[in-house]
Amino acid sequence: MFSFSQKDFVIDNKLGLKVLAGMNMVIHCHHYNARLQRTLEQNHKIKGKEIFRNAATITYWELLKELNAVKRPSDKAQFIENLYKFLGFGTLNLSSLEEDRATSSSGHFVEGWNCGALKTKGTVCTMTEGFLEGAIKAMYNLDVEVRETCCANQPGVERCEFQITRNKSGLNFHLAKKNKVCSPARDNSTEALSNIKAETIIDAVMNMPLSGNNEGLIPAFNVYLAHTPQDFYNRVALNFIAEMNKVGFGSIAKEMLVEDAEHCALNTFGGVLESEEWSALVLPMVKEEKDNLFGLVAVANALGWGRCHITEHTPYKTLTLHSSNGYEAYGHIETKGYSDKPQCFMLRGVCAGLMGLVYENGELEDRSGKFLSRESSCLAARAHQCEFKVERDE
């Protein structure tokens, strides 16, 4: 029996990192993952579905290649199933793998597309297609193409089904050479005062036993979470921007990524504020309204995104936040080198969303766009840290 547990992660509280088989893992929820997917796949300017699938294929080939210690072919399918379930993506049944078929009875992305404003009658398990392509290549050394033929997201369909075609041509599997990234510089800026004991929160959340349940899902903080290598998100974002640049919409692509992250902050952390975990761990520390913002940033620091802290804050008006090792900046340096412009679109959107969540009222969707966020300095642009400044959109 090949099982995974929290002990398989190497956790670094000081840097805010969770590492599995040498890969930095980040936690995002079903709201963000499905919205990011929609941004790419419903974009008629580019082949967004291919970008999303190929990013998963290469990323999970790399991860499974490092994890693969299974010798008996009969155990390999179970290994893939258990990893998929552990990470929180749902269930996989590979009992028909020799017949070139696979099924899934529950899925993280199905849940994501069925919530909020995200609705479609199409298949939505593109990431699973890529996961299976990469896993089968890593475990069986077979080049395959996986396509979802029917999806539990569709009316009247009870499970997702995947067709596997062997001898796929196209993707060139190789470990990409990464540019060297300097170790995080010590941020000597002073953190703004609050009543929140950030390290207590970070330690507690990073060590929570977050893994897939019987349905392969991770229900926590009133959302469904999933562990994903940060390389997946970096590949998706950078390739999306590159393809949109080719058709003259690169700057729009960046703002779309910011908007996705703002909605992520509103929905994800909106769930956090209403959760039992928040009530037990953070709420006793909250003495004034701004403490909610500091508490949410502490939770974010436990999601594998890196370490952030608030340096200046005027409730209802402004926020300045520093990040010493955000995965977007490092991802850009590793794959494309340094830039003359900031590159952290996810964190930009999250900062605006957090301010809207804490200081606005009404439905979550109505709180978006109330604050403007910009990245004033970035590690990817040779700064010693990333700095985000947020102000109310008057």
Side-chain angles (χ1 to χ4, degrees):
M1 180 69 175
F2 297 94
S3 61
F4 297 88
S5 71
Q6 179 78 359
K7 294 180 180 179
D8 291 302
F9 289 116
V10 176
I11 296 175
D12 187 329
N13 287 8
K14 292 184 178 180
L15 294 180
L17 300 179
K18 295 182 77 170
V19 181
L20 179 66
M23 299 187 75
N24 289 338
M25 307 294 288
V26 299
I27 296 175
H28 278 297
C29 82
H30 65 308
H31 293 287
Y32 178 67
N33 286 332
R35 187 175 288 273
L36 178 64
Q37 180 187 3
R38 185 187 69 169
T39 292
L40 271 73
E41 295 192 6
Q42 295 188 355
N43 188 313
H44 300 297
K45 300 291 184 182
I46 60 167
K47 296 179 179 179
K49 200 175 186 74
E50 290 186 11
I51 294 173
F52 209 76
R53 182 191 303 111
N54 290 351
T57 301
I58 297 173
T59 300
Y60 288 105
W61 170 70
E62 291 181 348
L63 179 62
L64 269 294
K65 187 172 179 291
E66 291 299 318
L67 284 172
N68 186 8
V70 183
K71 303 302 181 183
R72 292 194 305 172
S74 59
D75 293 330
K76 293 180 182 291
Q78 185 185 65
F79 190 87
I80 296 171
E81 292 173 355
N82 289 350
L83 177 64
Y84 187 82
K85 181 178 180 180
F86 169 70
L87 295 177
F89 289 115
T91 59
L92 279 176
N93 185 333
L94 302 183
S95 60
S96 300
L97 193 59
E98 292 186 0
E99 302 170 18
D100 295 329
R101 292 187 298 112
T103 62
S104 171
S105 58
S106 63
H108 175 88
F109 281 86
V110 171
E111 295 293 338
W113 279 86
N114 275 310
C115 71
L118 299 178
K119 300 293 181 183
T120 180
K121 293 182 180 179
T123 58
V124 300
C125 300
T126 311
M127 196 286 296
T128 306
E129 293 175 344
F131 178 93
L132 284 170
E133 287 183 1
I136 291 171
K137 169 65 177 178
M139 302 292 285
Y140 297 93
N141 198 31
L142 292 173
D143 283 338
V144 297
E145 181 179 275
V146 178
R147 294 295 180 267
E148 188 176 21
T149 55
C150 64
C151 183
N153 177 70
Q154 298 170 312
V157 178
E158 294 185 355
R159 66 178 186 176
C160 303
E161 298 185 3
F162 301 88
Q163 180 66 43
I164 302 167
T165 304
R166 304 191 182 213
N167 301 319
K168 179 190 174 191
S169 61
L171 278 180
N172 180 23
F173 289 85
H174 65 279
L175 284 170
K177 183 178 180 181
K178 293 184 177 182
N179 298 316
K180 183 178 180 181
V181 181
C182 295
S183 300
R186 183 175 180 82
D187 186 357
N188 293 317
S189 55
T190 302
E191 185 167 9
L193 295 177
S194 76
N195 296 298
I196 297 298
K197 297 177 181 178
E199 298 304 324
T200 299
I201 298 170
I202 294 168
D203 181 68
V205 176
M206 291 200 78
N207 288 284
M208 287 177 63
L210 298 175
S211 60
N213 58 18
N214 290 336
E215 295 180 314
L217 302 173
I218 305 175
F221 295 105
N222 279 339
V223 294
Y224 289 111
L225 303 175
H227 300 281
T228 307
Q230 66 180 35
D231 287 350
F232 169 76
Y233 293 108
N234 288 331
R235 286 188 172 104
V236 166
L238 292 173
N239 289 332
F240 173 54
I241 293 169
E243 292 302 308
M244 289 287 277
N245 264 326
K246 293 178 183 179
V247 293
F249 291 95
S251 60
I252 293 177
K254 295 174 183 178
E255 294 307 314
M256 292 172 76
L257 294 174
V258 173
E259 183 180 355
D260 285 342
E262 181 178 4
H263 284 277
C264 162
L266 288 166
N267 285 282
T268 303
F269 292 105
V272 170
L273 284 176
E274 300 296 326
S275 69
E276 294 179 359
E277 293 90 343
W278 177 270
S279 295
L281 177 63
V282 187
L283 192 57
M285 304 179 192
V286 176
K287 307 302 180 186
E288 51 187 315
E289 192 169 22
K290 72 173 185 178
D291 291 335
N292 289 298
L293 183 67
F294 285 80
L296 291 172
V297 170
V299 172
N301 276 327
L303 302 180
W305 302 355
R307 285 300 298 261
C308 300
H309 68 272
I310 297 170
T311 59
E312 297 179 16
H313 177 49
T314 302
Y316 294 93
K317 294 182 179 181
T318 63
L319 166 71
T320 300
L321 181 141
H322 287 177
S323 169
S324 60
N325 61 334
Y327 72 79
E328 296 170 282
Y330 274 20
H332 192 282
I333 298 169
E334 289 176 343
T335 57
K336 293 183 175 294
Y338 287 96
S339 170
D340 59 349
K341 297 179 180 179
Q343 299 295 330
C344 301
F345 311 109
M346 188 275 293
L347 279 178
R348 247 187 73 194
V350 167
C351 288
L354 288 176
M355 287 288 282
L357 177 64
V358 173
Y359 296 115
E360 291 292 323
N361 297 309
E363 297 296 324
L364 292 178
E365 292 297 315
D366 296 333
R367 303 188 201 186
S368 66
K370 302 298 184 181
F371 288 86
L372 297 177
S373 176
R374 63 184 176 89
E375 189 175 7
S376 52
S377 64
C378 183
L379 288 160
R382 299 184 185 277
H384 73 281
Q385 64 190 7
C386 299
E387 181 179 76
F388 303 89
K389 290 186 173 293
V390 185
E391 59 185 11
R392 183 176 289 279
D393 185 13
E394 301 293 350

